[in-house]
Amino acid sequence: QGKHILDAAATQLSNSSSAFCYARVDGILVDNTLQLMELELIEPSLGLHLDPTAPTYFAAAIAAQLGQH
């Protein structure tokens, strides 16, 4: 059932023409169908303070999205 939820979340995100460096999909299952509750495309913290290498990796991901890799 977990894979079903992840597949449904990926489908929600793939409906956009934009690529995302971060996304969180919150939802609930109703009759075995994911019902979107929240689609978060920006997070103020991202937990970057939890790993000293995280800011570098995130900056590289942003640069890659902008074609500056």
Side-chain angles (χ1 to χ4, degrees):
Q1 188 171 12
K3 179 153 178 20
H4 171 74
I5 293 170
L6 291 175
D7 289 344
T11 298
Q12 293 289 331
L13 291 173
S14 69
N15 290 333
S16 172
S17 62
S18 299
F20 304 101
C21 291
Y22 167 87
R24 188 180 91 202
V25 179
D26 293 341
I28 58 172
L29 284 178
V30 176
D31 296 327
N32 207 30
T33 301
L34 181 69
Q35 299 296 311
L36 182 65
M37 293 176 60
E38 179 182 10
L39 178 58
E40 186 173 283
L41 301 177
I42 183 170
E43 170 62 45
S45 164
L46 288 174
L48 297 179
H49 64 286
L50 300 173
D51 180 348
T53 62
T56 301
Y57 284 117
F58 191 60
I62 293 170
Q65 291 295 333
L66 296 173
Q68 300 174 4
H69 48 260

